[in-house]
Amino acid sequence: MQSKSTAIAAAGALPVIILIDPQLGENIGMVARAMLNCGLTDLRLVRPRDDWPNPRAVSSASGADLVLENTKVFESTSDAIADLNLIYATTARDRDMTKEIVTPEIAAKEIRAAGSEQCGILFGREAKGMKNEDIVLANKIVITPLNPGFTSLNLSQAVLLLAYEWYKLADDTPTIELRMKDTRLATNEEMLMLFEHLERELDNHGFLRVKEKRPVMVQNIRNVFQRANMTEQEVRTFRGVVKSLTQFPGEKIDTK
Amino acid sequence: MQSKSTAIAAAGALPVIILIDPQLGENIGMVARAMLNCGLTDLRLVRPRDDWPNPRAVSSASGADLVLENTKVFESTSDAIADLNLIYATTARDRDMTKEIVTPEIAAKEIRAAGSEQCGILFGREAKGMKNEDIVLANKIVITPLNPGFTSLNLSQAVLLLAYEWYKLADDTPTIELRMKDTRLATNEEMLMLFEHLERELDNHGFLRVKEKRPVMVQNIRNVFQRANMTEQEVRTFRGVVKSLTQFPGEKIDTK
């Protein structure tokens, strides 16, 4: 198993599984088992309901202890994805957000193609699914094609399908690629810093002054940048753009 | 849900899921749920350990009652498959039998190709897997490609992967789409107007003042927005952003 994991890692980074507000230890254990079935080992929990480590998770993991021992707990989704470059959010249904929607199969291909870029897949709480504020953090949405009359997957089943599609591609070569010249995809933290910089300035300039509309406006603006899968260099460029537009209003600066 | 099942059935017979010697009601319920997720409704149990119906199965089925209500119990595997034409047996590893071995994906394709022939998929007891005497009854063996160091799938996970591969082949809808709410993709002209607006302001603010670098900077900025496949509404939002950042510098405007 170790050697398999190493072999996979050498071919590209392993995607990270992030469970937001998971409730049942049994489900967390089954997620760990499904992950290891498919060679994945990096599990992160955001605000698990019960204490961690959780003995119920250990028993339902049926031997996937390696995954549970490595599992990290975070206070917020942002913290959990701070070091990741490409984020997918899984939902059972359309959320009326202008974000690209892909199947688990397409997501798996994209994650393989991302090579050494670190990808993460977000899963919401049992029964309730993901909150919009978490979906906004993602670059894309994953919806699994299922019987439209009965789309509610058990949490570990949802993780399994993504992990399985990813594992199936183990021997395939990348088919989709984002060309990057002397740079890398931005981390989520870098994206957040851009967003906060822009929103702070928009607040200063009164653009987000209507309180009820602010969350939607912020979400719309963030969505555009998230969809673009920005590089670190592009984030720096846009921070420069925001700084420039706000710093030297209405007149040419002295360029000497 | 009913109409979807009917639609699928019209295109070919639904495969039957047969659990041999299942032990835990929870697993049977989760199998029913995974089946209905993928539009399957015919579940058969051979010698379940506990009485049937089983309340634990009902609670873990999370609403897949339709499947549980139709579930039939048999005394032997032969009885359970008597009316079926093509039988697959799932095992975690090779059994040294001279039988064709296929993946879930291949099995799903064959079952679809079988048209109105009735197919069945056998699953063995939790942890122990299938006995050779049952495997002998099958036409082919299904082995799911998994991490060789950790191949033990939960029973419902094993059923899900087969059912999911089968369901995927029904789905002819586009796999990638961009969800749009009350809007449409921006025209090229609208994108150009956004670019020219932004670049004019960046020129005014001295950001693009280094002549040799200007074309590359402009290209980098345009690339980000182009990649995002912006909607008409989002273009309007960003024109508002540019206008706001440049119009009310460094201080809150009077919002009355």
Side-chain angles (χ1 to χ4, degrees):
Chain A
M1 178 192 62
Q2 286 291 31
S3 61
K4 178 72 179 179
S5 300
T6 313
I8 293 169
L14 299 179
V16 177
I17 302 296
I18 302 121
L19 308 182
I20 304 172
D21 296 316
Q23 308 236 295
L24 300 172
E26 288 84 347
N27 278 339
I28 299 172
M30 286 186 71
V31 164
R33 180 178 181 178
M35 286 174 62
L36 198 55
N37 282 146
C38 300
L40 298 185
T41 54
D42 193 343
L43 175 62
R44 304 180 184 184
L45 309 177
V46 178
R47 299 177 300 261
R49 188 191 62 187
D50 301 327
D51 287 342
W52 190 261
N54 182 332
R56 286 166 176 270
V58 175
S59 82
S60 70
S62 298
D65 301 341
L66 169 70
V67 177
L68 295 180
E69 284 159 15
N70 287 335
T71 298
K72 292 171 211 74
V73 175
F74 295 86
E75 299 265 309
S76 73
T77 307
S78 309
D79 290 347
I81 65 176
D83 60 326
L84 306 180
N85 305 115
L86 182 60
I87 308 292
Y88 292 84
T90 56
T91 72
R93 62 194 67 213
D94 178 15
R95 296 301 190 98
D96 279 338
M97 277 200 211
T98 306
K99 256 187 215 296
E100 193 180 333
I101 298 177
V102 296
T103 62
E105 190 175 353
I106 300 287
K109 281 181 184 158
E110 293 177 349
I111 290 169
R112 287 282 176 190
S116 61
E117 303 294 331
Q118 273 283 350
C119 300
I121 309 167
L122 304 176
F123 295 85
R125 169 173 158 188
E126 293 100 325
K128 296 222 168 180
M130 281 187 56
K131 290 181 190 154
N132 282 347
E133 66 194 67
D134 288 320
I135 295 177
V136 167
L137 298 171
N139 301 88
K140 299 190 182 189
I141 290 175
V142 182
I143 296 184
T144 304
L146 293 171
N147 175 359
F150 195 73
T151 55
S152 159
L153 275 176
N154 166 273
L155 181 57
S156 69
Q157 308 275 43
V159 171
L160 175 68
L161 293 182
L162 260 297
Y164 167 74
E165 289 285 12
W166 178 85
Y167 187 82
K168 278 211 298 183
L169 297 171
D171 299 324
D172 288 12
T173 45
T175 50
I176 308 172
E177 205 176 337
L178 186 67
R179 281 289 154 193
M180 276 174 295
K181 195 181 156 193
D182 302 330
T183 184
R184 55 167 176 77
L185 283 182
T187 64
N188 217 275
E189 193 176 10
E190 287 159 351
M191 294 298 289
L192 266 184
M193 284 172 69
L194 168 63
F195 295 154
E196 285 165 7
H197 181 184
L198 175 58
E199 288 152 19
R200 194 165 56 240
E201 290 298 347
L202 288 173
D203 276 326
N204 285 343
H205 291 72
F207 188 70
L208 300 173
R209 68 185 175 279
V210 184
K211 264 205 177 124
E212 314 84 71
K213 289 190 180 171
R214 193 182 187 283
V216 175
M217 293 295 294
V218 163
Q219 180 182 302
N220 289 345
I221 293 168
R222 289 186 176 199
N223 267 341
V224 169
F225 289 117
Q226 291 285 20
R227 284 209 308 275
N229 294 325
M230 292 173 79
T231 67
E232 179 271 336
Q233 197 182 57
E234 288 169 344
V235 169
R236 270 191 287 129
T237 298
F238 271 84
R239 295 201 62 173
V241 164
V242 175
K243 194 173 170 192
S244 164
L245 291 180
T246 52
Q247 248 185 355
F248 307 107
E251 58 185 45
K252 286 202 176 81
I253 57 162
D254 184 354
T255 58
K256 271 178 292 189
Chain B
M1 178 191 63
Q2 287 289 33
S3 62
K4 177 74 180 178
S5 301
T6 313
I8 292 168
L14 299 179
V16 178
I17 302 296
I18 302 121
L19 307 183
I20 304 171
D21 296 316
Q23 309 236 295
L24 300 172
E26 289 84 346
N27 278 338
I28 299 172
M30 285 185 72
V31 164
R33 180 178 182 179
M35 286 174 62
L36 197 56
N37 283 147
C38 301
L40 299 185
T41 54
D42 194 343
L43 175 61
R44 304 181 185 184
L45 308 178
V46 178
R47 298 178 300 263
R49 187 191 62 186
D50 301 328
D51 288 342
W52 190 261
N54 182 333
R56 285 167 176 269
V58 175
S59 82
S60 70
S62 298
D65 301 341
L66 170 71
V67 177
L68 295 180
E69 285 158 14
N70 286 335
T71 298
K72 294 171 209 75
V73 175
F74 296 85
E75 298 268 309
S76 72
T77 307
S78 311
D79 289 348
I81 64 175
D83 60 327
L84 307 181
N85 305 114
L86 181 61
I87 307 294
Y88 293 84
T90 56
T91 72
R93 60 195 67 214
D94 185 8
R95 296 299 190 101
D96 278 337
M97 278 198 211
T98 309
K99 257 186 216 298
E100 192 182 336
I101 298 176
V102 295
T103 62
E105 191 175 353
I106 301 287
K109 281 180 185 156
E110 292 176 351
I111 291 169
R112 287 280 176 192
S116 61
E117 302 291 325
Q118 273 283 352
C119 300
I121 309 167
L122 306 175
F123 294 85
R125 171 174 157 187
E126 293 101 325
K128 294 223 169 181
M130 282 186 56
K131 290 179 190 155
N132 282 348
E133 65 194 68
D134 288 320
I135 296 177
V136 167
L137 298 172
N139 301 88
K140 298 190 182 190
I141 290 175
V142 183
I143 296 184
T144 303
L146 293 171
N147 174 359
F150 195 74
T151 56
S152 159
L153 274 176
N154 167 273
L155 180 58
S156 69
Q157 308 274 44
V159 170
L160 175 68
L161 292 183
L162 260 298
Y164 168 73
E165 289 285 13
W166 177 85
Y167 186 82
K168 275 212 299 185
L169 297 175
D171 203 65
D172 295 313
T173 50
T175 50
I176 303 182
E177 62 186 302
L178 188 68
R179 245 348 122 166
M180 277 173 296
K181 194 185 161 190
D182 301 330
T183 184
R184 55 167 175 77
L185 283 182
T187 64
N188 216 274
E189 193 178 7
E190 287 159 351
M191 293 299 288
L192 264 184
M193 285 172 69
L194 169 62
F195 295 154
E196 285 165 7
H197 181 185
L198 175 59
E199 289 152 18
R200 194 164 58 240
E201 290 298 346
L202 289 173
D203 277 327
N204 285 342
H205 290 72
F207 189 70
L208 300 172
R209 67 187 176 278
V210 183
K211 263 204 176 125
E212 315 84 71
K213 288 190 182 172
R214 192 181 187 283
V216 176
M217 292 296 291
V218 164
Q219 182 184 303
N220 288 346
I221 292 168
R222 290 188 177 197
N223 266 342
V224 169
F225 288 117
Q226 292 283 20
R227 281 209 309 273
N229 295 325
M230 291 172 79
T231 66
E232 179 270 336
Q233 196 183 57
E234 288 168 344
V235 168
R236 271 191 286 129
T237 298
F238 272 84
R239 294 202 62 172
V241 164
V242 175
K243 193 173 171 192
S244 164
L245 291 180
T246 52
Q247 247 185 356
F248 306 109
E251 59 186 47
K252 286 205 175 78
I253 57 162
D254 184 354
T255 58
K256 270 179 291 189

